[in-house]
Amino acid sequence: MSAIKQTSVPVFSDSVAAPFSGVSRLSARTLGFYLALGAALTFFALPIVWMAGIAFTPSGEYVSDSLSLLPAHPTLAHFEALWRDGFPGRLANTLIVAVGATLLALSLGFLASYALVRFRFPRRLDHAFLLLVLVIKMMPPIVVAIPLFQLLKGLGLLDSKLGLILVYQVYTLPFCIWMLLSFVRDVPLSLEQAASLEGAGLLRRLWHIVLPLCGPGLAATFIFTLIMAWNEFLFALLYLSTPSHFTLPLYVSNFITENETFWGQLMGIGLLSSLPMLLMAGYVQRYLLRGFAMQMK
Amino acid sequence: MASVTLQNLGKQYKNQTVLRDINLQVRDGEFLVLVGPSGCGKSTLLRMIAGLETVSGGDIRIGGRRVNQLDPVDRGIAMVFQSYALYPHMTVWGNMAFGLKMAGVARPEREQRIQQAVELLQLQALTQRKPAELSGGQRQRVAIGRAIVRKPEVFLFDEPLSNLDAKLRDQMRVQLSELHHRLGSTMIYVTHDQKEAMTMADRIVVMRNGVIEQVGTPLELYHQPANRFVAEFIGSPAMNFLPVRVAALNARSLSLELPWGQTMQTEASRFGPKTGMSGLKTDAQLALGVRAQGLVIDDSSDLRMQVDVVEELGNIAYVHGRIQTHRLIMETPCAPRAGTEVGVRLKPDMLHLFDEQGISLASQMERAHAA
Ligand SMILES: Nc1ncnc2c1ncn2[C@@H]1O[C@H](COP(=O)(O)OP(=O)(O)OP(=O)(O)O)[C@@H](O)[C@H]1O
Ligand SMILES: [Mg+2]
């Protein structure tokens, strides 16, 4: 009896008082939250705004000491120069290489992680393999650069998009395997057993059951891998020699010369090359969230 | 439809034997229930029949055909998992269509079969929902529907009701029995709930530690348990056991000394026609089994039971009590009050005797007779 009374009092007072006393507390907290959010946003957005500002500022103006972020006389001159200079071709190169490398890594990584999760390997070879893969990923790129150069040369794939796509697998594939591992592991074995009882062989199970259930995982891995490949610089520098084959990170470096740095063009490329990523991330994120919400309870 | 025959079936994991020497004939159209405590190998046996586990020894035949090496899909079986294993990314309709698509069933036939199952299981309003949007009972029905549409010869169920609440479980039990009557297919059903086993089964298989303890109809197991384990497992509440001594023995009657000193006379024939031949001697120590229904209140009796707890169920009550140190459960229509003392009598026709190994004397008789 006394226990009931003791608990009932606070419950009662809390539920009644909350709407009144809660208002100020709530708004103070909300205000703090928005302030923190605003600070973080400014911190992360400032470079982008600055980049956009420079991209639209005529040459000569951005050397002035003004602190203004926005151009006084906006111009599209840098974009026109880029267009004429062959930016679209470099963008296409980057798209093909990054998307190609990502799709290849994603499909191979998916199959590999499935095999590692579901198949039995003697003597813990699966663990050894995963460690090896991790070690490769952690190696500084320059260590493998020369062997890879020999390899590409032997295959006749130097200075080609396909060559670059293959070389990128050194980093994208381990990443995909490790990322997808936990998603594949989360697909209940009983689902696959049910499917195999219903006559679905390995490939059909992969296609109809495992793949759709790993959708959110694949989407997340896709976007991270794509960014990785999109921004890759070192391998592109080492293995591409013809300027028209360049990817954007390599192309950017053209605008920093011994005599002059073409800030306008530089920022223009920065802006244009991050746009596709932003769009992609936005699109995939929507799918990601929906995917997570849809997942089984 | 098909019979299922298991011959000397065995299963080993590394060096652990999970199933030993399983011999079983499941008749065509039979509803067979596998029961036993957790870990006794029921699921393993079922999954071996399904083809999800390899066979370590012996044979599995379905419809006379040896299926040991056959892929699950070629065995003519459908299985309902404990977790239902519905495909979460497909609708109810899609879940039922999947297996038919895999089997290459043409669209019109597919739709017709699914439609039939949907009507049979009353899923009409739910066909476009995803499993996450269904209640437990609804998911259960979809899982059954997914099995039905494939028209298997044998249905396998692994504890399909264990995730449902008690009331829904009661409903689904009846519905599953109805379904069995309608389809007439062979069904093998795993549970550890003896109530499910008793109410649904044509025959029950009681398992323990990877071996079959007894096979029989629910009433056979209830009235003639082969051993103490089966006697304890089947029937609710669990059977009472008392240590007794054979006080006197002749061809007609058997006189037992109860732990409290009283002796009681029983007909020897109840425990087999030739009790004397079983090697039973005077002074032998036995376990006397009596169900809660075999104890009655009789104030003229000199067995006085101290009433500890009374579980009132409405129409009947379970009385938990003690006679000296021996705990007993009694079922009675009119419950005494806790803390009181009542006279208790044992119904002579509801007694079971088990030897020191726990084997029922009655079943020993039968075996001796058969040999
Ligand atoms: N993959 C496995 N490897 C080793 N031992 C296993 C494996 N699967 C099951 N076992 C063992 O086999 C025995 C029987 O398991 P099984 O799942 O058939 O029990 P069960 O009767 O279905 O129990 P429950 O009622 O809890 O479902 C258990 O002792 C279990 O530990
Ligand atoms: Mg089980």
Side-chain angles (χ1 to χ4, degrees), chain B residues 39 42-44 82 158-159 190:
Chain B
K42 310 178 294 285
S43 297
T44 306
Q82 180 172 5
D158 192 353
E159 309 203 24
V190 164

Side-chain angles (χ1 to χ4, degrees), chain A residues 188-201 204-205 207-210 212-213 294-297, chain B residues 47 50 52 72-73 77 79 81 83 85-90 95 98-99 101-103 130 132 139 146 150:
Chain A
L189 184 60
S190 63
L191 287 187
E192 279 196 67
Q193 290 179 333
S196 77
L197 284 180
E198 297 198 295
R204 284 164 137 189
R205 290 204 304 274
W207 182 252
H208 291 291
I209 309 292
V210 186
L213 289 178
M294 212 173 60
Q295 263 194 332
M296 62 219 107
K297 291 175 183 171
Chain B
R47 294 162 59 79
L52 294 175
V73 64
I77 50 105
M79 181 158 170
F81 292 74
S83 59
L86 296 177
Y87 311 124
H89 55 300
M90 300 183 196
N95 265 280
F98 182 74
K101 279 185 199 158
M102 292 296 116
K130 297 266 177 71
R139 282 179 215 180
R146 194 171 66 175
R150 297 182 49 228

